[in-house]
Coordinates of all heavy atoms in Angstrom, one line a residue:
I1 N 43.1 136.7 124.4 CA 41.9 137.5 124.8 C 41.9 138.8 123.9 O 40.9 139.2 123.5 CB 42.1 137.8 126.3 CG1 41.7 136.6 127.1 CG2 41.1 138.9 126.7 CD1 42.0 136.9 128.5
Q2 N 43.2 139.3 123.6 CA 43.2 140.5 122.8 C 42.6 140.3 121.5 O 42.0 141.1 120.8 CB 44.7 141.0 122.7 CG 44.8 142.4 122.1 CD 44.0 143.5 122.9 OE1 43.9 143.5 124.2 NE2 43.3 144.3 122.1
H3 N 42.9 139.1 120.9 CA 42.4 138.8 119.5 C 40.8 138.9 119.5 O 40.3 139.4 118.7 CB 42.8 137.4 119.1 CG 42.1 136.9 117.8 ND1 42.7 137.4 116.7 CD2 41.2 136.0 117.6 CE1 42.0 137.0 115.6 NE2 41.2 136.1 116.2
T4 N 40.2 138.2 120.7 CA 38.7 138.5 120.8 C 38.2 139.9 120.9 O 37.2 140.3 120.2 CB 38.2 137.7 121.9 OG1 38.7 136.3 121.9 CG2 36.7 137.5 122.1
V5 N 39.0 140.7 121.7 CA 38.5 142.1 121.9 C 38.8 142.8 120.5 O 37.8 143.5 120.1 CB 39.5 142.7 122.8 CG1 39.3 144.2 122.9 CG2 39.3 142.2 124.3
N6 N 39.9 142.6 119.8 CA 40.0 143.3 118.4 C 38.8 142.7 117.4 O 38.4 143.6 116.7 CB 41.3 142.8 117.9 CG 42.5 143.6 118.7 OD1 42.3 144.4 119.4 ND2 43.7 143.1 118.6
F7 N 38.6 141.4 117.5 CA 37.6 140.9 116.6 C 36.2 141.5 116.9 O 35.6 142.0 115.9 CB 37.4 139.3 116.8 CG 36.4 138.6 116.1 CD1 36.6 138.4 114.6 CD2 35.2 138.3 116.7 CE1 35.4 137.8 114.0 CE2 34.1 137.7 116.0 CZ 34.2 137.6 114.7
K8 N 35.9 141.6 118.1 CA 34.5 142.2 118.4 C 34.5 143.7 118.1 O 33.5 144.3 117.6 CB 34.2 141.9 119.8 CG 33.8 140.6 120.2 CD 33.3 140.4 121.5 CE 32.7 139.0 121.9 NZ 32.2 138.9 123.2
A9 N 35.6 144.3 118.2 CA 35.6 145.9 118.0 C 35.6 146.1 116.4 O 35.0 147.2 116.1 CB 37.0 146.4 118.5
A10 N 36.0 145.2 115.6 CA 36.0 145.3 114.1 C 34.6 145.1 113.6 O 34.3 145.3 112.5 CB 37.1 144.5 113.6
R11 N 33.7 144.5 114.4 CA 32.4 144.0 113.9 C 31.5 145.3 113.6 O 31.6 146.2 114.2 CB 31.7 143.0 114.7 CG 32.4 141.8 114.9 CD 31.7 140.8 115.8 NE 31.3 141.3 117.2 CZ 30.7 140.8 118.0 NH1 30.2 139.6 117.9 NH2 30.4 141.3 119.2
N12 N 30.4 145.1 112.7 CA 29.5 146.0 112.4 C 28.5 145.8 113.6 O 27.6 144.9 113.5 CB 28.9 146.0 111.1 CG 27.6 146.9 110.8 OD1 26.9 147.2 111.7 ND2 27.6 147.4 109.6
K13 N 28.4 146.8 114.5 CA 27.5 146.6 115.8 C 26.1 146.5 115.4 O 25.2 145.8 116.1 CB 27.8 147.7 116.7 CG 29.2 147.5 117.4 CD 29.5 148.7 118.3 CE 30.9 148.7 118.9 NZ 32.0 148.3 118.1
T14 N 25.7 147.2 114.5 CA 24.2 147.3 114.1 C 23.9 145.9 113.5 O 22.8 145.3 113.9 CB 24.0 148.4 113.0 OG1 24.3 149.7 113.6 CG2 22.5 148.4 112.7
K15 N 24.7 145.3 112.6 CA 24.4 144.0 112.1 C 24.4 142.9 113.1 O 23.7 141.9 113.0 CB 25.4 143.8 110.9 CG 25.1 144.6 109.6 CD 26.0 144.2 108.4 CE 25.7 145.1 107.2 NZ 26.6 144.7 106.3
V16 N 25.4 143.0 114.0 CA 25.6 142.0 115.1 C 24.2 142.1 116.0 O 23.8 140.9 116.2 CB 26.9 142.2 115.8 CG1 26.9 141.4 117.2 CG2 28.0 142.0 115.0
E17 N 23.9 143.2 116.4 CA 22.7 143.2 117.3 C 21.5 142.7 116.5 O 20.7 142.0 117.2 CB 22.5 144.7 117.8 CG 23.4 145.1 118.9 CD 23.3 144.2 120.1 OE1 22.2 143.8 120.6 OE2 24.4 143.8 120.6
A18 N 21.4 143.1 115.3 CA 20.3 142.6 114.5 C 20.2 141.1 114.5 O 19.2 140.5 114.5 CB 20.2 143.2 113.1
S19 N 21.4 140.5 114.1 CA 21.5 139.1 114.0 C 21.3 138.3 115.4 O 20.5 137.3 115.4 CB 22.9 138.7 113.6 OG 23.1 137.4 113.3
L20 N 21.8 138.9 116.4 CA 21.6 138.3 117.8 C 20.0 138.4 118.1 O 19.4 137.6 118.6 CB 22.3 139.1 118.8 CG 23.9 138.7 118.7 CD1 24.5 139.7 119.8 CD2 24.2 137.3 119.0
N21 N 19.3 139.6 117.7 CA 18.0 139.7 117.9 C 17.2 138.7 117.2 O 16.1 138.1 117.6 CB 17.5 141.2 117.8 CG 17.9 142.0 118.9 OD1 18.1 141.7 120.0 ND2 18.0 143.3 118.6
A22 N 17.5 138.4 116.0 CA 17.0 137.4 115.1 C 17.0 136.0 115.7 O 16.1 135.1 115.7 CB 17.5 137.4 113.7
V23 N 18.2 135.7 116.2 CA 18.4 134.4 116.8 C 17.6 134.2 118.1 O 16.8 133.2 118.4 CB 19.9 134.1 117.3 CG1 20.1 132.9 118.2 CG2 20.8 134.0 115.9
R24 N 17.4 135.3 118.9 CA 16.6 135.4 120.1 C 15.1 135.3 119.8 O 14.5 134.3 120.4 CB 16.8 136.7 120.8 CG 16.1 136.8 122.2 CD 16.3 138.1 123.0 NE 17.8 138.1 123.5 CZ 18.7 138.8 122.9 NH1 18.5 139.6 121.8 NH2 19.8 138.8 123.3
T25 N 14.7 135.9 118.7 CA 13.3 135.8 118.3 C 13.0 134.4 117.9 O 11.9 133.8 118.2 CB 13.0 136.7 117.3 OG1 13.3 138.1 117.7 CG2 11.6 136.7 116.7
A26 N 13.9 133.8 117.1 CA 13.6 132.5 116.5 C 13.5 131.5 117.8 O 12.7 130.6 117.7 CB 14.8 132.1 115.6
C27 N 14.4 131.6 118.8 CA 14.4 130.8 119.9 C 13.0 130.9 120.6 O 12.3 129.9 121.0 CB 15.5 131.1 120.8 SG 17.1 130.7 120.4
K28 N 12.5 132.1 120.8 CA 11.3 132.5 121.5 C 10.0 131.8 120.9 O 9.2 131.5 121.4 CB 11.1 134.0 121.8 CG 12.2 134.3 123.0 CD 12.0 135.8 123.1 CE 13.0 136.4 124.3 NZ 12.8 137.8 124.5
E29 N 10.2 132.0 119.4 CA 9.1 131.5 118.7 C 9.2 130.0 118.3 O 8.4 129.4 117.5 CB 9.0 132.3 117.4 CG 8.7 133.8 117.7 CD 8.6 134.6 116.5 OE1 9.1 134.2 115.4 OE2 8.4 135.8 116.5
N30 N 10.1 129.3 118.8 CA 10.3 127.8 118.7 C 10.5 127.6 117.1 O 10.0 126.6 116.6 CB 9.2 127.0 119.2 CG 9.6 125.6 119.5 OD1 10.8 125.3 119.8 ND2 8.6 124.7 119.4
R31 N 11.3 128.4 116.5 CA 11.5 128.2 115.1 C 12.9 127.7 114.9 O 13.8 127.7 115.8 CB 11.5 129.6 114.3 CG 10.1 130.1 114.1 CD 10.0 131.3 113.2 NE 10.6 132.5 113.8 CZ 11.7 133.1 113.3 NH1 12.4 132.7 112.4 NH2 12.2 134.2 113.9
N32 N 13.3 127.3 113.7 CA 14.5 126.7 113.4 C 15.6 127.8 113.4 O 15.4 128.9 112.8 CB 14.5 126.1 111.9 CG 15.9 125.5 111.4 OD1 16.8 125.5 112.2 ND2 15.8 125.1 110.3
V33 N 16.6 127.7 114.3 CA 17.6 128.8 114.4 C 18.7 128.9 113.5 O 19.4 129.9 113.4 CB 18.0 128.9 115.9 CG1 17.0 129.2 116.9 CG2 18.9 127.7 116.2
M34 N 18.9 127.7 112.8 CA 20.1 127.5 111.9 C 20.1 128.7 110.9 O 21.3 129.1 110.6 CB 20.0 126.1 111.2 CG 21.3 125.8 110.6 SD 22.7 125.9 111.6 CE 22.6 124.6 112.7
P35 N 19.0 129.0 110.2 CA 19.3 130.1 109.2 C 19.9 131.5 109.8 O 20.8 132.0 109.2 CB 17.9 130.1 108.5 CG 17.2 129.0 108.8 CD 17.7 128.5 110.1
D36 N 19.2 131.7 111.0 CA 19.8 132.9 111.7 C 21.2 132.8 112.2 O 21.9 133.7 112.1 CB 18.8 133.3 112.7 CG 17.4 133.7 112.3 OD1 17.4 134.5 111.3 OD2 16.4 133.2 112.7
L37 N 21.5 131.5 112.6 CA 23.0 131.4 113.1 C 23.9 131.5 111.9 O 25.0 132.1 112.1 CB 23.1 129.9 113.7 CG 22.4 129.8 114.9 CD1 22.5 128.3 115.5 CD2 22.9 130.7 116.1
I38 N 23.6 130.9 110.7 CA 24.4 131.1 109.5 C 24.6 132.6 109.1 O 25.8 133.0 108.9 CB 23.8 130.2 108.3 CG1 23.9 128.8 108.7 CG2 24.5 130.6 107.1 CD1 23.2 127.8 107.8
L39 N 23.4 133.2 109.2 CA 23.7 134.8 108.8 C 24.4 135.4 109.9 O 25.2 136.2 109.6 CB 22.3 135.4 108.7 CG 21.4 134.9 107.5 CD1 20.0 135.5 107.6 CD2 22.1 135.3 106.2
G40 N 24.3 135.0 111.2 CA 25.0 135.6 112.3 C 26.4 135.2 112.1 O 27.4 136.2 112.4
A41 N 26.8 134.1 111.6 CA 28.2 133.8 111.6 C 28.9 134.7 110.5 O 30.1 135.1 110.6 CB 28.4 132.4 111.1
D42 N 28.1 135.0 109.5 CA 28.7 136.0 108.5 C 29.0 137.3 109.0 O 29.8 138.1 108.4 CB 27.7 136.1 107.3 CG 27.6 134.9 106.4 OD1 28.4 134.0 106.5 OD2 26.6 134.7 105.8
V43 N 28.2 137.8 110.0 CA 28.4 139.2 110.6 C 29.4 139.2 111.9 O 29.7 140.2 112.3 CB 27.2 140.0 110.9 CG1 26.6 140.2 109.5 CG2 26.3 139.3 111.8
G44 N 29.5 137.9 112.3 CA 30.7 137.7 113.4 C 30.1 137.4 114.8 O 30.9 137.9 115.6
I45 N 28.9 136.9 114.8 CA 28.4 136.7 116.3 C 29.3 135.6 116.8 O 29.7 134.7 115.9 CB 26.9 136.4 116.3 CG1 26.5 135.2 115.4 CG2 26.1 137.5 115.8 CD1 25.1 134.8 115.7
T46 N 29.4 135.5 118.0 CA 30.2 134.4 118.7 C 29.4 133.3 119.3 O 28.2 133.5 119.7 CB 31.1 135.0 119.7 OG1 30.4 135.5 120.8 CG2 32.1 136.2 119.1
L47 N 30.1 132.3 119.7 CA 29.6 131.0 120.2 C 29.1 131.5 121.6 O 27.9 131.1 122.1 CB 30.4 129.9 120.3 CG 29.9 128.7 121.1 CD1 28.6 128.2 120.4 CD2 30.9 127.7 121.1
G48 N 29.7 132.3 122.4 CA 29.4 132.8 123.6 C 28.3 133.7 123.6 O 27.4 133.4 124.4
E49 N 28.0 134.5 122.6 CA 26.8 135.4 122.5 C 25.6 134.5 122.3 O 24.5 134.7 122.8 CB 27.0 136.4 121.4 CG 28.1 137.4 121.7 CD 28.4 138.3 120.6 OE1 28.6 137.7 119.4 OE2 28.8 139.4 120.8
V50 N 25.7 133.5 121.3 CA 24.6 132.6 121.1 C 24.3 131.8 122.3 O 23.1 131.6 122.8 CB 25.0 131.7 120.0 CG1 23.9 130.7 119.7 CG2 25.0 132.6 118.6
S51 N 25.3 131.3 123.0 CA 25.2 130.5 124.3 C 24.3 131.4 125.4 O 23.5 130.9 126.0 CB 26.3 129.9 124.9 OG 27.0 129.2 123.9
D52 N 24.7 132.7 125.4 CA 24.0 133.6 126.3 C 22.4 133.6 126.0 O 21.7 133.6 126.9 CB 24.5 134.9 126.4 CG 25.9 135.1 127.0 OD1 26.3 134.2 127.7 OD2 26.7 136.0 126.7
I53 N 22.2 133.7 124.7 CA 20.8 133.8 124.3 C 20.1 132.5 124.7 O 19.0 132.4 125.2 CB 20.7 134.1 122.8 CG1 21.1 135.5 122.5 CG2 19.3 133.8 122.3 CD1 21.4 135.8 121.0
Y54 N 20.7 131.3 124.3 CA 20.2 130.0 124.7 C 19.9 130.0 126.2 O 18.8 129.6 126.6 CB 21.0 129.0 124.4 CG 21.2 128.5 122.9 CD1 22.2 127.9 122.5 CD2 20.3 129.1 121.9 CE1 22.3 127.5 121.1 CE2 20.4 128.9 120.6 CZ 21.5 128.0 120.1 OH 21.6 127.8 118.9
R55 N 20.8 130.4 127.1 CA 20.5 130.5 128.5 C 19.5 131.4 128.9 O 18.6 131.0 129.7 CB 21.9 130.9 129.3 CG 22.9 129.7 129.2 CD 23.9 130.0 130.3 NE 24.9 131.0 129.6 CZ 25.9 130.7 128.8 NH1 26.2 129.4 128.6 NH2 26.6 131.6 128.3
E56 N 19.4 132.5 128.3 CA 18.3 133.6 128.5 C 16.9 133.0 128.2 O 16.0 133.1 129.0 CB 18.5 134.8 127.6 CG 17.6 135.9 127.6 CD 17.7 136.8 126.6 OE1 18.9 137.2 126.4 OE2 16.7 137.3 126.1
V57 N 16.8 132.4 127.1 CA 15.5 131.8 126.5 C 15.2 130.6 127.2 O 13.9 130.4 127.7 CB 15.5 131.7 125.0 CG1 14.2 131.1 124.5 CG2 15.7 133.2 124.5
Y58 N 16.1 129.5 127.2 CA 15.7 128.3 127.7 C 16.1 128.0 129.1 O 15.7 126.9 129.6 CB 16.4 127.2 126.7 CG 16.1 127.4 125.3 CD1 17.0 127.6 124.2 CD2 14.7 127.1 125.0 CE1 16.5 127.8 123.0 CE2 14.3 127.3 123.7 CZ 15.2 127.6 122.6 OH 14.8 127.7 121.3
G59 N 16.9 128.7 129.7 CA 17.4 128.5 131.0 C 18.6 127.5 131.0 O 19.3 127.2 129.9
V60 N 19.2 127.2 132.1 CA 20.3 126.2 132.2 C 19.8 124.8 132.6 O 19.1 124.8 133.7 CB 21.3 126.8 133.3 CG1 22.5 125.9 133.5 CG2 21.8 128.3 132.9
Y61 N 20.2 123.8 131.9 CA 19.8 122.5 132.2 C 20.5 122.0 133.4 O 21.8 122.2 133.6 CB 20.2 121.5 131.0 CG 19.8 120.2 131.3 CD1 18.5 119.8 131.2 CD2 20.9 119.2 131.5 CE1 18.2 118.3 131.4 CE2 20.6 117.9 131.9 CZ 19.2 117.5 131.8 OH 19.0 116.2 132.0
T62 N 19.8 121.3 134.3 CA 20.3 120.7 135.4 C 19.9 119.2 135.4 O 18.6 119.0 135.3 CB 19.9 121.3 136.7 OG1 20.2 122.7 136.8 CG2 20.4 120.6 137.9
D63 N 20.8 118.3 135.4 CA 20.6 117.0 135.4 C 19.9 116.6 136.5 O 20.2 116.7 137.7 CB 21.8 116.1 135.2 CG 21.7 114.6 135.1 OD1 20.5 114.2 135.3 OD2 22.7 114.0 134.6
P64 N 18.7 115.9 136.5 CA 17.9 115.6 137.7 C 18.6 114.7 138.6 O 18.4 114.7 139.7 CB 16.6 114.9 137.1 CG 16.5 115.3 135.6 CD 17.9 115.6 135.3
G65 N 19.5 113.9 138.1 CA 20.3 113.0 138.8 C 21.4 113.6 139.7 O 21.9 113.0 140.6
M66 N 21.6 114.9 139.4 CA 22.7 115.7 140.1 C 22.1 116.5 141.2 O 22.9 117.2 141.8 CB 23.4 116.4 139.1 CG 24.1 115.6 138.0 SD 25.1 114.3 138.5 CE 26.6 115.3 139.0
I67 N 20.8 116.5 141.3 CA 20.2 117.2 142.4 C 20.2 116.5 143.7 O 20.1 115.6 144.0 CB 18.7 117.7 142.0 CG1 18.7 118.5 140.7 CG2 18.1 118.4 143.2 CD1 17.3 118.8 140.3

C-alpha cells in the first residue's frame, strides 16, 4: 500500500487530472479511449482510476441471470 501512496504522491497532479478528464470525455463521447489510456499511462494514471471512470460513465454491469 505504501508503494501506491508514494507512486501517486510523485505524479504530476495537473497532468494526471487532465489525462483522467480526457479518458472521461472520450467515454462520454463514445470515442476510442485507447489513445487517451496510453497517454495516461505515461503520466501514471492507475487502473483503479480508470475503472472508477468506467463505472461513473457506464455504470456497473449486473448479469441478468443473477437478479
Side-chain angles (χ1 to χ4, degrees):
I1 294 176
Q2 190 59 44
H3 177 74
T4 303
V5 171
N6 293 342
F7 174 78
K8 286 185 173 185
R11 302 182 299 179
N12 180 319
K13 290 174 182 38
T14 304
K15 289 182 180 181
V16 168
E17 282 303 315
S19 183
L20 291 171
N21 286 332
V23 172
R24 183 177 292 107
T25 300
C27 289
K28 289 180 178 180
E29 294 176 355
N30 201 29
R31 291 187 288 114
N32 181 1
V33 297
M34 189 55 68
D36 293 313
L37 292 175
I38 292 169
L39 293 173
D42 289 339
V43 298
I45 65 173
T46 66
L47 178 59
E49 291 167 328
V50 173
S51 297
D52 288 343
I53 291 171
Y54 289 165
R55 284 188 287 273
E56 171 191 325
V57 174
Y58 301 118
V60 177
Y61 176 76
T62 304
D63 185 346
M66 301 302 282
I67 296 177

